[in-house]
Amino acid sequence: IAENKMWSHVEVIEIVNNDLNMADCYGSVFPKSRAIKYYEMNKHYELMRLIPLKLNVPLDEAYTILQKNLNKPYSFGQIFVIGCKILFFAQWKWFSSIKLNLSKYQVCTEYAGIFMRDACGYELPCSPDVMSLDDCEDVANANLKRGD
């Protein structure tokens, strides 16, 4: 609601052999972060955008990054703080560096942000703890356009 978007969730999706239906999706939803097949996720979410990410680490290291962020409890408090960041960003610049919970809890944007930072080497505009949907999309698009 705070971002005024038609979508409200982000996932890291691994597509193998161009088969989206059998792709593995990694993200954070209540009650905890998880991995799920795309065909299962698609029962709950409609795919709105698909932005390719480029790995900056070997594939096995990327899997390790995805795995270490699984099974972390979801944080509704984080959603509230991210909403405040969006609504009051002009007044509260310190939001960009805040580390809310040192990754003990996660929301979908943090899961994707950690992956983009650690596996892709992308520079983030703020701490992954307070990344918004716009932040995730902007980082992915900026690096797509860079064409490394």
Side-chain angles (χ1 to χ4, degrees):
I1 293 170
E3 291 192 67
N4 195 28
K5 291 197 163 299
M6 295 295 295
W7 48 283
S8 62
H9 185 63
V10 64
E11 296 259 341
V12 175
I13 302 175
E14 179 195 19
I15 303 171
V16 178
N17 297 326
N18 290 321
D19 187 357
L20 179 61
N21 224 22
M22 292 305 295
D24 291 315
C25 301
Y26 300 86
S28 188
V29 296
F30 182 79
K32 62 185 178 180
S33 53
R34 51 84 182 118
I36 190 172
K37 289 291 185 189
Y38 175 79
Y39 68 86
E40 287 292 330
M41 187 189 70
N42 196 38
K43 294 176 183 176
H44 307 283
Y45 295 97
E46 177 185 352
L47 181 63
M48 303 294 286
R49 286 177 181 47
L50 190 60
I51 304 171
L53 304 175
K54 183 177 182 199
L55 294 179
N56 195 37
V57 298
L59 192 56
D60 61 331
E61 191 174 330
Y63 282 125
T64 299
I65 292 164
L66 290 169
Q67 295 297 317
K68 79 175 183 178
N69 286 296
L70 292 177
N71 299 311
K72 294 192 178 183
Y74 193 78
S75 173
F76 287 107
Q78 232 172 308
I79 295 295
F80 175 77
V81 172
I82 292 167
C84 289
K85 173 196 155 210
I86 293 162
L87 295 173
F88 303 113
F89 186 72
Q91 291 87 3
W92 296 346
K93 295 287 186 192
W94 57 270
F95 263 122
S96 290
S97 61
I98 196 169
K99 293 193 184 306
L100 296 173
N101 56 47
L102 302 174
S103 295
K104 292 178 186 167
Y105 302 91
Q106 270 185 346
V107 294
C108 64
T109 53
E110 181 181 9
Y111 195 103
I114 290 170
F115 185 79
M116 288 190 289
R117 181 193 65 199
D118 297 350
C120 302
Y122 297 170
E123 186 175 325
L124 305 180
C126 57
S127 165
D129 296 57
V130 293
M131 282 188 73
S132 66
L133 295 168
D134 278 335
D135 292 331
C136 287
E137 185 175 24
D138 291 348
V139 168
N141 279 327
N143 286 282
L144 178 66
K145 292 174 185 166
R146 218 176 65 202
D148 289 336

